[in-house]
Each structure stands twice: as structure tokens, then as C-alpha cells.
Amino acid sequence: MTNNSKVDNDLSSLQKIFLVFLSIFLVMGLFFFRGEFKSNAMLDQLAKNSLEPEKALSNGRPTVIEFYADWCEACKEMAPYMVNIKKQNYNKVDVVLLNVDNSRWFDLIEKYDVNGIPKLIFFDAKGEFKGSAIGVRKYSELNEIFIALISNLELPYFTNLSNSTYLISGNNSKQLSFNNIKSEEPRGHG
């Protein structure tokens, strides 16, 4: 009978080890998904609180239109920055989110040449195009952009780590490509 009880103890030890590893795995999974849900919730919050583009462009405030997708990791990364900047500038700048997977916005996707996301389009208080940016913007960059829009100043230029300059501001015909910026194809799963 001692052999039988030893086997029972060994199985019990293996079960305990399995349960410990399973617990650790589940806890790590919860932390991962918690962040994922929070980012999705912020994107949803921004999208649900968005004005229609026509209304935002005609209400006498500067407007930032962001083209995004629910699956876009770069969009999720930038969402907390956009939420905070929008709160800081409440009633000074309108933020409009347009999902590139919604066929309702295909005409605007084409009009503003959305070939990567997140893509931001900037308009002054008169609804006139001021410039655009593609890829994740840092909080400090977004803050500078919003201040420039509110103050009706030229939009800022930023330089990335490889010392190449990319343009945010621009006339209707003046836009440069961006180097080393995180972006994803509009309807791909990049």
C-alpha cells in the first residue's frame, strides 16, 4: 500500500505544479487583455463622441480627423494621448474619428489619400485644410499640433531619430512622405 500512496502523492505534486503554471498563465493573460480592452475602450470612446465631419468642419473650431481601425495596434497606442489632449482642449478643437473599415467613409478615405493608419488630417477654424500626418504621434507632438491649431499658427515639423524630417503642416499641395513611422495599411492586417 505504500507504493499506492507514493503514486498518489506524485500525481498530487504534478497536479499542484500544473495548477501553479496555469494560474501564472491566467494572471499574465488578464494583465495583457486588460490593457487591450482599455485601448479598445478609448478608441470606442473617441469614436462615439465624434461629431460628423461636416458638422465639425463648419462649427468655427479647428478640427482633427483621425482615420483609424479597431484592429490597428498603432491607433490603439495613440488613443490614450488623443483622449487626454481632447479633454485638455475641450470646446477648442473637435476630434473626429472615422473607421476605414466603414464603407460610409470611403469617399473621404479616397479624398484624403488614406494609405496608412492612423492618419490625422488637420483643419483650421474655417474648415480649411492645414496639413496631415500618418503614423503614431507622441503626446508632446499632439499637444504642439493642437496648440498650433487653436492659435491659428503654422503646424510644427518634427524630426525622427534617423535625422530625416517629416512634414505635418502643409499647403493643399505640399505633403511629404514619412520615414520610420509606425503605420498600418488601411484595410490590411499589417
Side-chain angles (χ1 to χ4, degrees), residues 49-61:
N49 293 329
S50 289
L51 295 173
E52 291 292 316
E54 301 79 23
K55 185 173 181 179
L57 292 171
S58 65
N59 69 6
R61 288 192 293 260

Side-chain angles (χ1 to χ4, degrees), residues 38-44 46 66 73-85 97 136-137 142:
K38 187 175 182 179
S39 295
N40 284 344
M42 288 187 167
L43 267 178
D44 289 343
L46 283 167
E66 178 182 345
E73 294 302 319
C75 302
K76 292 176 191 177
E77 181 181 334
M78 196 169 68
Y81 306 149
M82 290 295 285
V83 167
N84 288 336
I85 294 286
L97 264 70
V136 176
R137 302 273 60 91
L142 287 170

Side-chain angles (χ1 to χ4, degrees), residues 81-161:
Y81 306 149
M82 290 295 285
V83 167
N84 288 336
I85 294 286
K86 184 178 177 184
K87 284 180 185 176
Q88 288 175 0
N89 297 289
Y90 180 73
N91 272 345
K92 295 179 186 173
V93 176
D94 290 319
V95 177
V96 176
L97 264 70
L98 304 178
N99 192 325
V100 296
D101 291 328
N102 185 336
S103 61
R104 179 179 179 195
W105 308 122
F106 285 171
D107 59 332
L108 294 175
I109 290 168
E110 187 175 315
K111 179 178 180 177
Y112 294 112
D113 192 30
V114 178
N115 54 14
I117 55 175
K119 183 163 186 175
L120 302 172
I121 311 292
F122 310 109
F123 300 89
D124 64 15
K126 297 175 187 168
E128 295 178 15
F129 176 83
K130 293 273 293 187
S132 66
I134 192 168
V136 176
R137 302 273 60 91
K138 298 177 194 171
Y139 179 84
S140 59
E141 292 174 338
L142 287 170
N143 194 43
E144 284 184 54
I145 293 165
F146 275 63
I147 289 170
L149 286 170
I150 292 165
S151 304
N152 200 28
L153 301 172
E154 179 100 10
L155 292 176
Y157 290 83
F158 297 103
T159 304
N160 66 16
L161 297 176

